[in-house]
Amino acid sequence: MSKGRYLFPNDYMADPSAHVFNGKIYIYPSHDWESGVPENDNGDHFNMKDYHVFSMEDIESEVVDHGKVLGVEDIAWSGRQLWDSDVAQKDGKYYMYFSMKDKTDIFRLGVAVSDKPEGPFIPQENPIKGSYSIDPCAFQDDDGSYYLYFGGIWGGQLQYYRNNKLIDGSVLPHFDEDSLTAKVARLTDNMLEFAEEPKNVLILDEEGNPLKQGDTERRFFEASWMHKYNGKYYFSYSTGDTHLLCYAIGDNPYGPFTYQGVILTPVVGWTTHHSILQFKDKWYLFHHDSVPSGGKTWLRSMKVIELQYDNEGKIITIEGQ
Ligand code: FUB
């Protein structure tokens, strides 16, 4: 029996990034569909072509579909595959950060802008300079700075880069070498570019050593999310091929972060991808699974479930099934 509330049974939506804007909950998911592309390790079957935006007055309320807000055909540099996105608000404007393959089949991060949280979003002419890989997460810190976290291995192409530069081919570290990490960069004041070279989001084990690539139940794979709880920075992510949502805690947006544990055990479906949101006095985990499609990994349904902390600020593990 899968737990949580399915938010939009009428269509397949995944990777839900949820935020509170103007007192309402807004959700920015990927839009899965049956494109007929065969399943492979590269994720070609995740062949999404547009985004919709959803809103809710309250956590139990009806979910309103604001319709299509951006499509591949609207974006000058588009190739294919609109993967995970996220939205940040600054000075009355809304900035959607999205991952998409360009015309040479390389994933880049784009920005599209709107005056309203429900869009439509108008894309910039070019991707963010120096951007690569997938799964942007936009985080606003209390001092008014904004950061973009991103990255994903395998189909997300992170293993083609070292030190933010393309290398010769796809190279994953050996199992006993330090794992590949998510990246983080502060955004420029106009929200449209990186203000600095992306840095590694280092995740340490309990002894202060970086997690190794072979530590597949704890190392980063994709799906970065950042939230703050009691003044601490909680970096959460998916372990991909071991299908866990995990988290690590740090003292600032760059880390390092110390691994803490599992947020969500495996769900039905291959991918797991989430966001964490405080609404009123409760916390929620938005995520997806493939129960409604009968387990089809490329047809996922978004859901929400309450998330709780213990007295020491540790997240209490939620069972995915
Ligand atoms: O939805 C496409 C991709 O699947 C996302 O970008 C990944 O995080 C995984 O959920």
Side-chain angles (χ1 to χ4, degrees):
M1 183 63 186
S2 86
K3 297 184 203 130
R5 174 190 172 200
Y6 286 103
L7 291 168
F8 196 68
N10 310 3
D11 202 350
Y12 295 112
M13 300 282 161
D15 314 325
S17 298
H19 291 276
V20 179
F21 294 134
N22 311 325
K24 270 163 74 165
I25 299 171
Y26 285 87
I27 311 168
Y28 302 93
S30 308
H31 186 187
D32 287 355
W33 69 297
E34 187 59 270
S35 70
V37 175
E39 196 169 4
N40 60 28
D41 277 354
N42 213 26
D44 285 333
H45 47 303
F46 297 108
N47 190 28
M48 296 83 101
K49 56 185 181 3
D50 61 29
Y51 294 117
H52 283 224
V53 173
F54 297 85
S55 68
M56 299 157 80
E57 294 285 342
D58 211 329
I59 202 74
E60 301 288 346
S61 309
E62 181 200 359
V63 178
V64 176
D65 178 5
H66 295 278
K68 179 179 158 186
V69 297
L70 181 65
V72 232
E73 69 284 0
D74 305 323
I75 306 166
W77 54 275
S78 70
R80 61 180 178 134
Q81 293 181 297
L82 280 175
W83 282 16
D84 169 60
S85 69
D86 193 15
V87 170
Q89 177 195 39
K90 185 180 180 187
D91 299 335
K93 288 209 182 292
Y94 297 82
Y95 298 86
M96 172 180 274
Y97 299 91
F98 58 92
S99 11
M100 187 187 63
K101 282 181 179 161
D102 68 12
K103 295 185 195 305
T104 64
D105 238 20
I106 293 180
F107 268 116
R108 307 268 179 217
L109 305 178
V111 194
V113 187
S114 178
D115 293 330
K116 293 180 289 188
E118 67 270 28
F121 288 86
I122 311 298
Q124 297 293 295
E125 278 294 302
N126 295 298
I128 297 175
K129 279 192 284 299
S131 70
Y132 57 97
S133 198
I134 57 165
D135 288 0
C137 160
F139 170 69
Q140 179 185 1
D141 206 351
D142 299 332
D143 66 358
S145 309
Y146 290 79
Y147 298 85
L148 202 68
Y149 296 81
F150 63 94
I153 62 173
W154 292 22
Q157 302 182 341
L158 190 59
Q159 69 279 9
Y160 288 90
Y161 298 83
R162 293 293 189 280
N163 301 317
N164 302 317
K165 300 273 180 310
L166 201 55
I167 55 169
D168 196 11
S170 163
V171 185
L172 278 169
H174 193 254
F175 75 95
D176 58 1
E177 292 177 334
D178 292 355
S179 72
L180 290 183
T181 63
K183 309 290 165 190
V184 56
R186 195 166 49 77
L187 289 166
T188 49
D189 286 345
N190 68 5
M191 303 290 277
L192 301 177
E193 300 290 347
F194 293 152
E196 59 190 2
E197 280 271 306
K199 299 173 174 27
N200 288 335
V201 177
L202 204 54
I203 304 174
L204 308 175
D205 66 15
E206 54 290 349
E207 282 159 7
N209 299 313
L211 295 183
K212 304 297 175 207
Q213 195 66 31
D215 191 350
T216 54
E217 301 232 326
R218 298 195 296 179
R219 62 90 175 92
F220 172 81
F221 189 103
E222 62 186 6
S224 297
W225 189 257
M226 172 58 70
H227 76 279
K228 244 173 137 171
Y229 179 75
N230 283 349
K232 296 279 186 198
Y233 294 78
Y234 285 56
F235 177 72
S236 49
Y237 56 97
S238 161
T239 61
D241 54 343
T242 52
H243 318 291
L244 299 167
L245 287 182
C246 294
Y247 74 109
I249 295 181
D251 292 325
N252 68 75
Y254 295 110
F257 301 91
T258 303
Y259 178 86
Q260 302 292 320
V262 172
I263 299 173
L264 182 73
T265 64
V267 298
V268 171
W270 201 96
T271 67
T272 188
H273 192 137
H274 67 300
S275 59
I276 294 172
L277 172 81
Q278 183 177 20
F279 186 68
K280 300 185 177 167
D281 57 346
K282 289 190 173 178
W283 286 84
Y284 297 94
L285 177 75
F286 289 75
H287 64 109
H288 65 234
D289 69 28
S290 297
V291 170
S293 70
K296 293 197 174 92
T297 59
W298 62 98
L299 295 179
R300 302 161 293 178
S301 296
M302 60 177 176
K303 44 198 308 202
V304 65
I305 191 164
E306 190 178 343
L307 176 140
Q308 292 177 317
Y309 303 84
D310 71 13
N311 292 338
E312 287 163 1
K314 285 225 167 202
I315 294 175
I316 298 173
T317 303
I318 299 168
E319 298 298 324
Q321 296 180 45

